[in-house]
Amino acid sequence: MSSLKFVFLNFEGCIDRRTWWMGFVLIHLGIASFNFVLSKFMGDDAPFLDGTWPNLVRLLGDRSGWITAVVFLVPQIAINTKRFHDRGMSGWWWLVFLIPFLVATAISISPLGGENYPSPLAGWAQLICGLTAMWTFITLGFLPSKYAK
């Protein structure tokens, strides 16, 4: 595996599918651990304690969720950008997922989305976010490299 600095902090070059999966798993283990510890330290609701997966609104509604998202944003964009390069695509394709995610999150936590009874607008935004997330995940995690090695 390439150096960690290259994989998680550099936006140039390519990484193969195997390296992307390793980075993906490490980042998400880091997110879960960091957010758990930070939420306990800050007094926010710690996710997963009641045995359920928190929804996006509850997780990002906490201060610890926002801090965690910001801390892990650069490594996520770095590995995804390099994997898009490996697929023969521009790294800017990452915005196909990021923009709908940010819009869906903004709608969900705004008065437009409602807290207990999400509006149809929030539902559509989350559906579009989910579809773009599936496209991104399949493209990066399962499709082969465009460059034969």
Side-chain angles (χ1 to χ4, degrees):
M1 189 162 137
S2 303
S3 75
L4 293 177
K5 184 177 176 183
F6 170 76
V7 172
F8 294 115
L9 299 175
N10 190 339
F11 297 98
E12 296 179 9
C14 300
I15 57 174
D16 60 5
R17 196 173 21 188
R18 179 175 177 255
T19 304
W20 182 83
W21 273 108
M22 285 189 218
F24 179 84
V25 168
L26 282 174
I27 286 173
H28 286 84
L29 285 173
I31 287 171
S33 303
F34 184 82
N35 192 35
F36 181 80
V37 170
L38 188 62
S39 64
K40 294 296 264 179
F41 178 74
M42 296 179 75
D44 288 343
D45 290 335
F48 316 114
L49 286 183
D50 58 0
T52 61
W53 292 83
N55 65 25
L56 181 64
V57 176
R58 195 176 105 209
L59 184 62
L60 290 179
D62 291 335
R63 296 168 294 161
S64 60
W66 282 106
I67 292 169
T68 302
V70 169
V71 167
F72 286 92
L73 183 63
V74 169
Q76 287 185 39
I77 293 175
I79 68 167
N80 291 333
T81 298
K82 286 191 288 296
R83 180 68 179 120
F84 274 123
H85 291 166
D86 185 54
R87 293 270 312 126
M89 304 166 74
S90 168
W92 291 103
W93 276 97
W94 173 235
L95 294 177
V96 168
F97 167 72
L98 188 61
I99 290 172
F101 173 77
L102 293 175
V103 169
T105 302
I107 290 172
S108 295
I109 63 175
S110 75
L112 293 173
E115 176 119 357
N116 297 321
Y117 303 100
S119 70
L121 179 62
W124 280 105
Q126 290 175 0
L127 174 66
I128 292 168
C129 178
L131 292 173
T132 60
M134 283 189 332
W135 172 83
T136 303
F137 188 67
I138 290 168
T139 300
L140 299 179
F142 296 100
L143 297 180
S145 172
K146 292 285 183 179
Y147 307 109
K149 292 187 179 184

